[in-house]
Amino acid sequence: MRNLIKLTTLAAVSALALSAPAFAGKSDNSVVMAYDQAPESVDPFFNNVRIGVIIGQHVWDTLIYRDPITNDYKGQLAKSWKWVDDRTLEVELRQGIKFHNGEEFDADDVVYTLNFVSKPENKVTTQQNVSWIEKAEKLDKYKVRITTKKVFPAAIEYLAGPVVIHPNEYYEKVGPAGQNDKPVGSGPYKVTEYVPGKSIVLETNPDYFADSPKPKPTIGKVEIRFIPDRQTQMAEAISGGVDFIMHVPKDQAEQLEAAPHLQVVSGETMRIVFMQMNSQEGTPAPALKDERVRKAIIHAIDRETMVKEIVGKGSRVINTICFPSQFGCTDHGAPKYPYDPEKAKSLLAEAGFPNGLELDIVAYRERNQTEAIIGYLQAVGIKANLRFLQYAAMREQIRGNKAMLTHQTWGSFSVNDVSASTPVYFAMGDDDISRDPEVRDALNKGDNSVDPAVRNASYKEALTRIAEKAYAVPLYSLPVYYVATADLDFRAYPDEMPRFWEMTWKK
C-alpha cells in the first residue's frame, strides 16, 4: 500500500511538472495553509497543539518578544521592564494600541488576563505556562507589577512566548468559550471567519501598531484548513489547492522536490519526540512497573536508523527529555541505551516475560514513526497495539491513567529553558505517569532558583534519575519539512512558527 501511494504521488508530481497549476494565492495576495490537527480552542490558554500556538501568535500579542534570530528580548505590548527584586517585575506598557474590537489596550488588560489565567479554578489547559504567576497589579494606566509565586528566572521567556494578553472587557464578558467562538486579540492578523474543526481565516489588522517587532503583514489573508489526512494535504499541494503545508513526512517531502512549482524547506526544531511508559500506581500495564521491562523497550528501538531513514535531515538522537539548547538540558552523567535487541530480549526474560508481552501505544501525529517503533518492539517480542487519536483524546487517556505507552512530541511553546519541557511530564502534574517525588523535588529546585549553577545541577539530577530509572524513552529532535508553492518567500525557524506576517509573494 505504501509503495502504491509513493507511485501515485510520483506520477502526480511528474504530470504537474509538465503543466504547473495557477495559484490563486499570489493573484489575490492570500495564502492557504493545510494542517492535520484542529485546535481544541483558539484561545491560546486552552490549547496546547502547535496549530493553536501558530494562530495565537498571529492573532494576539505578548508583553515581550524574543527575536528568533538573535534571541534578544524586545518590547511588544511592553515598552520596558525591570526586576524590582527576585519575585517582582514592573512593566511599562505601550500606549495607543487597540484590540481588534476597538478596545484600548492598557494595564487593565494585562492585570485581568494574568490574574484570570493563573487561577487554577479557571482550568487553563497550559497550566505550566502560568502557574508561576502569583498576581498582577495595576500601578497606573500604563504600568503593571507582576509578582511570581517563587523565584522564577524563566519568567521573561514565558512572557515572550505563550502568555498572550486578552482585552479585559471582552474576555470578562464572553470568557474562554466566547474567545474561541469569536477571537479578539491585538495581533497583526484578526480572525474574520472560524468554523471549528474545519477552517479559520485571518486577515490583516489595518490598525496594527507600527512599533511592534512583528512587522505589519504584506500577505493580506491567511486561510488555515484542518485536513487530517496527509495524502489529501499532499494532493492539495500538488494541485495548487493549498499553498503551504508543514510536518510533511521525509519520504513524501523528497518526492515533492521534483515538482518545479513547489519548494521544500526543512530544519531542526525545538520539538522533541519521546515515549512515556506508565509506571505509576494503578497503571493498566503492571509490567511497566518493572525497570527491566522499561529498559528493554529503550534498547529495542534503533533511534539512529529512525533518524536517518524516517525522521530526516536536521534531526538528532536525544538521551534525556529536553531539547539540547534549553538552559539546564544535559545528558552528561545520564546512562545511554544503545540499540541492542538481544539485550532487550534478555531483560524481558529476566523480568518474567521470555515470550514477550502485549501493550497498547497511543499516538497523535507522525504515524509512520509510531509504526516503525511498533516494528522494533515486535522484533523483541512486544506486541504494541496502535491507538491513533486526536491530541485531546490522547491526553484524556494519559491523564485518566488509561494509557500504557505513549508516543509524544513536545515543543516547549518555544521556551528555551528546561522549565518548559521536563517538568511538564515529570514534576507530578497532570501529564506525569511515573510520579517520582525525587525527580519532582529536583525539578522544582531548578525552576525556583536564581543561581544558574544551582539550576543546572538540579536539572542534571532530575534528568539523570529519569534516565537511570528508564521512566521514558528519549528519541530525537523533530525536524519540520515545509512544502510550499515556489513563489512564496518564507523562512523556516527552529520554533516551528511560520511567520505569515513576514512572508511575501515573489515578484
Side-chain angles (χ1 to χ4, degrees), residues 60-117:
W60 285 272
D61 284 325
T62 50
L63 291 172
I64 300 167
Y65 181 82
R66 178 161 58 83
D67 187 298
I69 299 173
T70 66
N71 285 324
D72 293 336
Y73 295 116
K74 301 176 180 179
Q76 193 166 341
L77 293 175
K79 187 163 62 175
S80 62
W81 57 93
K82 65 178 181 180
W83 285 102
V84 178
D85 57 44
D86 288 348
R87 293 179 50 222
T88 308
L89 181 70
E90 289 190 354
V91 182
E92 193 81 32
L93 305 176
R94 293 187 190 272
Q95 301 182 29
I97 296 173
K98 289 187 177 181
F99 289 95
H100 301 151
N101 64 352
E103 271 189 51
E104 179 187 2
F105 165 74
D106 59 24
D108 291 331
D109 305 298
V110 179
V111 170
Y112 184 85
T113 300
L114 298 188
N115 286 336
F116 178 88
V117 301

Side-chain angles (χ1 to χ4, degrees), residues 304-353:
E304 294 284 357
T305 296
M306 285 190 68
V307 162
K308 182 179 178 182
E309 301 295 335
I310 300 173
V311 186
K313 184 170 62 178
S315 176
R316 59 178 136 168
V317 169
I318 59 173
N319 293 298
T320 49
I321 310 294
C322 54
F323 184 71
S325 77
Q326 290 180 311
F327 179 88
C329 183
T330 182
D331 62 9
H332 295 304
K336 312 295 192 298
Y337 296 91
Y339 174 56
D340 189 339
E342 293 308 313
K343 178 71 171 176
K345 292 176 184 177
S346 174
L347 285 167
L348 288 173
E350 285 179 31
F353 301 98

Side-chain angles (χ1 to χ4, degrees), residues 42 55-56 58-60 100 179-185 187-195 199-205 222:
V42 175
I55 294 168
H58 285 79
V59 178
W60 285 272
H100 301 151
Q179 185 68 292
N180 177 57
D181 292 339
K182 293 184 178 179
V184 173
Y189 284 93
K190 59 182 180 179
V191 177
T192 56
E193 183 182 336
Y194 177 42
V195 182
S199 65
I200 188 167
V201 177
L202 314 179
E203 295 188 24
T204 304
N205 173 12
V222 178

Side-chain angles (χ1 to χ4, degrees), residues 35 38 194-200 223-227:
Y35 200 86
Y194 177 42
V195 182
K198 298 293 184 182
S199 65
I200 188 167
E223 180 183 354
I224 302 171
R225 298 177 185 168
F226 308 125
I227 303 175

